[in-house]
């Protein structure tokens, strides 16, 4: 756990809502805790680990699948190994309507199934978030009052479950892209206000995949303005993914291309796709990043973001441990640039066989953890 604080971040001013605290920093498995590897976690020196469990996916598989699902098994192993664990309950209603009527059979069924999932993983959890990305894991036409009602009612159910047991911190979210006015919708405001006004909700979760650390500050400030001063904020996902995507079609560095025998006309996305299909020696991958001004200009963004989180009083934030992406078309988000491990674009360590660290992120993570 960090014990340091920072008073300023390149002129970004903290809102006077509460004394700043040193936010904890952890790693994020997303929905792939089947990849749990104790040595990978230990090498990062992390204390916190976050993951989501897809409740609707498990519901489609049936109750018998819960205990043996590889992501549920992996999730439980994390806390058993001594780490603190954040769980996001994911409800993916893309392509279908929200069961927002509490008396409907669909809501009764998903509520009951949520209880069955919690029975399996609750004792392996230190913080629980009702939701993963509600305003993405849904159809645009359904991001209305039905979305709000579903998450409010599901949160009420999880609150009841939680209060009858250990009463661990419970958050609602996560909210995406709050730096953009088009995402600052009435259902978003309603759900944040619900978190503000419900005693047994600790606060909200923000996912901040932005073009700059400044935009992260804008998202936090907007959320804080609707959440009030007393409730907490966590961020279980953050990155400069949007900044990296803006450079997909840049031409790769000519000196780098000549040194490693790469086509000098290739764009960034082409080289990344090449590395995904044919993982590279880490020295080559690092050389590619070091030769790319668009990366080097923001290489301290993880540290800078965590300094910002200290200023804004976030409780904990988690950063991607590894990524899973099969290909890299020109218009795709380059998630693999964000991972602490370059598990897809770099060959394993030839001596140990372990995944290798990406450039810079591990140094920043350890410095701030």
């Amino acid at each position: 756990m960090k014990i340091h604080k920072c008073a300023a971040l390149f002129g970004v001013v903290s809102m006077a809502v509460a004394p700043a605290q040193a936010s904890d920093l952890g790693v994020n498995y997303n929905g792939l805790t089947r990849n749990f590897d104790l040595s990978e976690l230990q090498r990062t020196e992390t204390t916190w680990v976050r993951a989501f469990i897809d409740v609707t996916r498990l519901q489609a598989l049936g109750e018998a699948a819960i205990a043996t699902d590889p992501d549920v098994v992996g999730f439980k192993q994390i806390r058993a190994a001594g780490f603190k664990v954040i769980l996001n309950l994911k409800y993916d209603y893309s392509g279908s309507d929200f069961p927002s009527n509490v008396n409907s059979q669909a809501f009764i069924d998903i509520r009951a199934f949520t209880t069955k999932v919690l029975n399996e993983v609750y004792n392996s959890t230190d913080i629980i978030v009702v939701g993963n990305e509600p305003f993405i894991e849904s159809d645009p036409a359904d991001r209305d009052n039905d979305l709000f009602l579903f998450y409010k009612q599901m949160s009420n159910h999880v609150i009841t479950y939680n209060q009858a047991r250990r009463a661990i911190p419970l958050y609602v979210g996560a909210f995406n892209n709050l730096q953009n006015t088009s995402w600052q919708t009435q259902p978003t405001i309603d759900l944040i206000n619900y978190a503000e006004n419900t005693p047994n909700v600790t606060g909200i979760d923000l996912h901040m995949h932005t073009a700059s650390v400044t935009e992260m500050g804008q998202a936090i400030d907007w959320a804080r303005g609707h959440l009030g001063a007393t409730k907490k904020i966590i961020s279980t996902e953050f990155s400069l993914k949007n900044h990296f995507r803006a450079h997909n079609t840049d031409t790769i560095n000519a000196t780098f291309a000549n040194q490693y025998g790469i086509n000098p006309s290739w764009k960034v996305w082409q080289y990344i796709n090449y590395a995904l299909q044919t993982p590279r020696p880490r020295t080559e991958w690092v050389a590619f990043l070091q030769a790319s001004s668009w990366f080097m200009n923001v290489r301290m963004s993880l540290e800078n973001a965590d300094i910002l989180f200290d200023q804004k009083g976030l409780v904990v934030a988690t950063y991607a441990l590894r990524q899973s992406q099969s290909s890299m078309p020109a218009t795709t988000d380059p998630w693999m640039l964000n991972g602490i491990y370059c598990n897809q674009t770099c060959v394993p360590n030839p001596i140990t066989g372990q995944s290798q660290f990406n450039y810079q992120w591990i140094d920043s993570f350890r410095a701030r953890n």
Side-chain angles (χ1 to χ4, degrees):
M1 177 181 291
K2 295 182 304 183
I3 59 173
H4 57 274
K5 298 179 181 178
C6 186
L9 171 64
F10 303 114
V12 178
V13 179
S14 178
M15 291 183 67
V17 297
Q21 66 180 62
S23 61
D24 285 347
L25 192 61
V27 300
N28 168 32
Y29 266 112
N30 288 302
L32 291 174
T33 44
R34 65 187 64 191
N35 293 324
F36 167 72
D37 183 315
L38 180 58
S39 65
E40 280 193 355
L41 291 178
Q42 290 174 330
R43 290 165 65 200
T44 68
E45 303 174 10
T46 192
T47 299
W48 283 97
V49 180
R50 175 265 180 175
F52 67 76
I53 288 179
D54 191 335
V55 180
T56 43
R57 180 184 70 83
L58 288 175
Q59 184 186 31
L61 295 173
E63 181 182 353
I66 297 175
T68 58
D69 182 81
D71 292 317
V72 172
V73 172
F75 181 88
K76 293 169 66 176
Q77 290 175 326
I78 295 169
R79 194 162 186 268
F83 299 94
K84 298 178 181 179
V85 181
I86 304 171
L87 168 64
N88 285 72
L89 294 172
K90 175 177 176 177
Y91 299 94
D92 191 346
Y93 283 100
S94 303
S96 59
D97 294 334
F98 283 101
S100 56
N101 182 347
V102 293
N103 298 315
S104 68
Q105 191 61 49
F107 185 84
I108 292 169
D109 289 346
I110 190 63
R111 182 178 61 195
F113 196 83
T114 296
T115 298
K116 298 179 190 303
V117 172
L118 289 173
N119 288 343
E120 190 68 30
V121 300
Y122 182 81
N123 289 335
S124 300
T125 304
D126 295 282
I127 291 176
I128 191 164
V129 185
V130 182
N132 180 54
E133 292 185 335
F135 293 90
I136 290 178
E137 293 152 358
S138 55
D139 294 334
D142 295 328
R143 295 167 193 167
D144 52 17
N145 194 54
D146 284 347
L147 182 152
F148 163 66
L149 290 175
F150 172 80
Y151 280 96
K152 173 186 174 181
Q153 292 155 357
M154 189 57 68
S155 297
N156 288 340
H157 173 63
V158 180
I159 287 170
T160 300
Y161 185 98
N162 188 33
Q163 291 299 309
R165 292 165 176 81
R166 295 181 294 137
I168 60 177
L170 185 150
Y171 291 77
V172 175
F175 299 91
N176 296 76
N177 301 315
L178 294 187
Q179 74 280 4
N180 297 330
T181 57
S182 61
W183 289 74
Q184 299 168 3
T185 63
Q186 191 60 50
T188 298
I189 294 170
D190 291 343
L191 198 52
I192 293 176
N193 287 346
Y194 163 79
E196 176 190 15
N197 297 318
T198 304
N200 293 316
V201 173
T202 308
I204 62 171
D205 182 10
L206 302 181
H207 284 184
M208 297 181 286
H209 299 294
T210 64
S212 67
V213 173
T214 298
E215 286 190 351
M216 294 182 192
Q218 293 167 353
I220 295 168
D221 287 349
W222 187 88
R224 175 59 72 190
H226 291 277
L227 183 65
T230 61
K231 292 301 181 86
K232 305 295 186 181
I233 298 177
I234 63 175
S235 177
T236 55
E237 294 186 22
F238 69 98
S239 75
L240 290 194
K241 178 265 297 181
N242 289 353
H243 168 79
F244 295 137
R245 185 180 60 197
H247 294 277
N248 280 356
T249 56
D250 289 7
T251 303
I252 63 172
N253 180 274
T255 301
F256 162 78
N258 180 66
Q259 180 178 356
Y260 288 95
I262 306 298
N263 186 333
S265 68
W266 270 8
K267 306 301 181 184
V268 167
W269 71 267
Q270 291 175 293
Y271 177 77
I272 293 176
N273 191 60
Y274 168 63
L276 284 173
Q277 307 309 318
T278 311
R280 314 310 306 149
R282 184 178 182 273
T283 52
E284 178 183 324
W285 178 251
V286 170
F288 162 67
L289 296 176
Q290 290 178 329
S292 303
S293 60
W294 50 264
F295 185 91
M296 295 300 288
N297 290 342
V298 298
R299 69 187 184 279
M300 304 307 294
S301 59
L302 194 161
E303 290 189 50
N304 293 341
D306 194 49
I307 292 170
L308 173 70
F309 300 159
D310 281 3
Q311 281 190 297
K312 302 295 185 182
L314 270 64
V315 175
V316 60
T318 55
Y319 191 79
L321 181 68
R322 52 190 1 255
Q323 296 288 2
S324 178
Q325 190 165 346
S326 60
S327 63
M328 179 63 202
T331 58
T332 298
D333 294 329
W335 292 108
M336 76 297 297
L337 294 173
N338 298 322
I340 289 176
Y341 286 99
C342 53
N343 57 292
Q344 289 192 289
T345 54
C346 299
V347 297
N349 184 299
I351 298 174
T352 66
Q354 295 177 313
S355 295
Q356 302 202 75
F357 286 122
N358 216 335
Y359 176 61
Q360 185 57 50
W361 304 138
I362 185 59
D363 296 329
S364 294
F365 185 86
R366 287 172 174 165
R368 294 293 303 171
N369 190 30

